[in-house]
């Protein structure tokens, strides 16, 4: 397994501002993922972040709105840019590891945009 | 359960009874399936997984059953405990992991 931490755990932000969420893993991993989970709903993949390459975004998510950095094998950031109330959600970092390439999740960052 | 937007399907089970949580998946090409448990305020926690070349796998108090013919996955929890109360998600993997809608398990003491 992997131990994953995220900062901040929660934040309340004003519309039009940006927030950068950090994800730290306790071991080196190739694949890192960012998900969004709206209240009472399932998880939606935003993008896949591999070290040394551009992030791959899913349909409906664009780099200008959700820029991602992946400077090394243990760290990644997700920025939520020019926020609106519709961006209020839980943002989760995930890594793929293990012999079956299981995915493990961080505790999430609860974002509220006012 | 069916996709119900903001209202997750709920399964209420008496403490000590067995729980069965069902999931229908959509992609015939998926070859790896996972169950996650998510407690309030936390990220999803890996419970158990199964590859498509198997139809049953057992863990500690949990069993996953896979029926590829009807694209159905189930999670069985034996002797359900209050600590099992959470939302349970199934997930399927082809090129990437896709999550199901989730089922809320309520354990009645």
């Amino acid at each position: 397994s992997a131990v994953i931490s995220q900062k901040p755990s929660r934040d309340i932000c004003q519309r039009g501002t940006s927030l950068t969420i950090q994800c730290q893993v306790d071991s080196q991993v190739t694949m890192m993922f960012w998900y969004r989970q709206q209240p009472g709903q399932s998880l939606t993949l935003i993008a896949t972040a591999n070290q040394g390459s551009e992030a791959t975004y899913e349909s409906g998510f664009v780099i200008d709105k959700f820029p991602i950095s992946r400077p090394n094998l243990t760290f990644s950031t997700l920025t939520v840019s020019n926020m609106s109330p519709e961006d209020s959600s839980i943002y989760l970092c995930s890594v793929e590891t293990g012999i079956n390439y299981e995915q493990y999740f961080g505790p999430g960052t609860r974002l509220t945009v006012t | 359960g069916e996709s119900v937007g903001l209202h997750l399907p709920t399964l209420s089970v008496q403490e000590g009874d067995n729980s069965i949580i069902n999931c229908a998946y959509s992609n015939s090409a998926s070859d790896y399936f996972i169950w996650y448990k998510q407690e309030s305020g936390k990220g999803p926690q890996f419970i158990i997984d199964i590859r498509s070349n198997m139809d049953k796998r057992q863990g500690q108090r949990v069993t996953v059953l896979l029926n590829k013919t009807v694209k159905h996955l189930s999670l069985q929890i034996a002797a359900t405990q209050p600590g099992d109360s959470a939302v349970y998600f199934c997930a399927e993997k082809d090129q990437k992991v896709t999550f199901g809608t989730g089922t809320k398990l309520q354990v009645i003491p």
Side-chain angles (χ1 to χ4, degrees):
Chain A
S1 64
V3 177
I4 305 165
S5 60
Q6 287 184 232
K7 288 183 190 178
S9 58
R10 58 176 63 229
D11 207 342
I12 301 172
C13 301
Q14 292 195 342
R15 71 171 68 211
T17 63
S18 297
L19 176 73
T20 294
I21 302 167
Q22 298 179 6
C23 176
Q24 181 76 52
V25 192
D26 69 339
S27 58
Q28 294 185 336
V29 294
T30 303
M31 305 282 282
M32 292 182 81
F33 307 89
W34 286 98
Y35 286 82
R36 183 170 73 184
Q37 185 178 29
Q38 297 187 312
Q41 297 195 28
S42 188
L43 286 77
T44 301
L45 181 63
I46 297 172
T48 301
N50 292 337
Q51 194 266 338
S53 62
E54 293 281 330
T56 303
Y57 289 83
E58 297 298 308
S59 176
F61 298 97
V62 295
I63 187 170
D64 289 347
K65 175 68 176 176
F66 297 101
I68 287 170
S69 79
R70 182 79 202 273
N72 58 53
L73 292 172
T74 63
F75 187 78
S76 179
T77 68
L78 170 77
T79 299
V80 186
S81 303
N82 188 24
M83 288 183 283
S84 67
E86 291 71 35
D87 295 320
S88 297
S89 193
I90 299 169
Y91 292 85
L92 293 147
C93 170
S94 173
V95 305
E96 185 178 80
T97 186
I99 57 171
N100 284 323
Y101 304 99
E102 308 96 85
Q103 270 188 242
Y104 296 92
F105 285 83
T109 296
R110 184 178 292 271
L111 171 62
T112 303
V113 184
T114 60
Chain B
E2 296 178 33
S3 172
V4 289
L6 287 176
H7 303 286
L8 288 169
T10 299
L11 175 66
S12 295
V13 174
Q14 204 74 39
E15 181 178 357
D17 287 352
N18 297 335
S19 303
I20 300 176
I21 301 170
N22 295 303
C23 175
Y25 65 93
S26 54
N27 185 356
S28 301
S30 293
D31 61 358
Y32 178 57
F33 304 87
I34 317 105
W35 279 100
Y36 288 92
K37 172 186 180 183
Q38 188 174 28
E39 296 174 279
S40 181
K42 297 183 179 180
Q45 175 190 353
F46 176 95
I47 302 173
I48 191 168
D49 58 0
I50 188 168
R51 290 221 161 267
S52 59
N53 60 353
M54 302 172 70
D55 52 23
K56 181 179 180 178
R57 187 159 187 235
Q58 287 185 290
Q60 187 177 16
R61 276 203 310 120
V62 294
T63 301
V64 55
L65 298 177
L66 174 63
N67 184 330
K68 294 181 289 295
T69 304
V70 295
K71 297 205 282 286
H72 184 268
L73 196 64
S74 70
L75 177 71
Q76 300 178 2
I77 304 173
T80 312
Q81 302 168 359
D84 296 325
S85 294
V87 177
Y88 289 81
F89 292 98
C90 66
E92 57 180 305
K93 183 174 182 181
D94 177 12
Q95 301 292 326
K96 63 181 182 181
V97 175
T98 303
F99 282 78
T101 52
T103 298
K104 183 176 181 180
L105 177 64
Q106 268 181 345
V107 181
I108 304 163

